[in-house]
């Protein structure tokens, strides 16, 4: 029973971190761009990059960047959960041998 609870705990942590990681990555990138935009001469460049990031997210979100970010985060969550289940399965197989 302990192995099953460890598996569920690992799966839950993987799901949470896999969902939050893309949000932090995109949010941190946009924050970094806004900070760099305060330097003279870089404002137009950083605005263009931020606009393209928003257009990219809107592509996945049916026109809404926030929905696109959630879709990408859910996809990363699904892939992370599949990978965690594979690692658990592989650990069980290697432990038997």
């Amino acid at each position: 029973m302990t192995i099953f609870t460890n598996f569920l705990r690992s799966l839950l942590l993987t799901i949470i971190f896999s969902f939050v990681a893309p949000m932090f990555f995109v949010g941190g990138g946009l924050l970094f761009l806004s900070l760099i935009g305060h330097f003279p001469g870089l404002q137009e460049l950083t605005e263009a990059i931020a606009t393209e990031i928003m257009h990219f997210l809107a592509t996945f979100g049916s026109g809404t960047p926030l929905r696109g970010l959630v879709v990408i985060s859910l996809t990363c969550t699904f892939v992370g959960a599949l990978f965690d289940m594979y690692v658990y399965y592989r650990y069980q197989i290697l432990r038997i041998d």
Side-chain angles (χ1 to χ4, degrees):
M1 191 66 172
T2 306
I3 293 174
F4 184 68
T5 57
N6 287 340
F7 167 68
L8 288 180
R9 182 178 29 207
S10 171
L11 187 63
L12 181 67
L13 286 173
T14 300
I15 286 171
I16 290 170
F17 287 132
S18 295
F19 185 79
V20 172
M23 290 192 176
F24 279 145
F25 181 70
V26 172
L30 291 174
L31 179 68
F32 178 73
L33 285 173
S34 71
L35 292 176
I36 295 298
H38 290 293
F39 289 114
L42 292 177
Q43 185 174 9
E44 294 84 17
L45 178 67
T46 56
E47 284 180 5
I49 294 171
T51 303
E52 290 302 317
I53 291 172
M54 290 299 182
H55 286 301
F56 176 77
L57 292 174
T59 301
F60 290 103
S62 300
T64 307
L66 183 62
R67 188 179 296 164
L69 183 59
V70 170
V71 167
I72 291 172
S73 295
L74 287 174
T75 305
C76 290
T77 300
F78 181 69
V79 171
L82 285 176
F83 183 71
D84 191 49
M85 285 188 275
Y86 169 74
V87 168
Y88 175 75
Y89 167 76
R90 193 74 182 139
Y91 172 75
Q92 292 299 327
I93 295 298
L94 292 176
R95 195 178 68 161
I96 292 172
D97 292 338

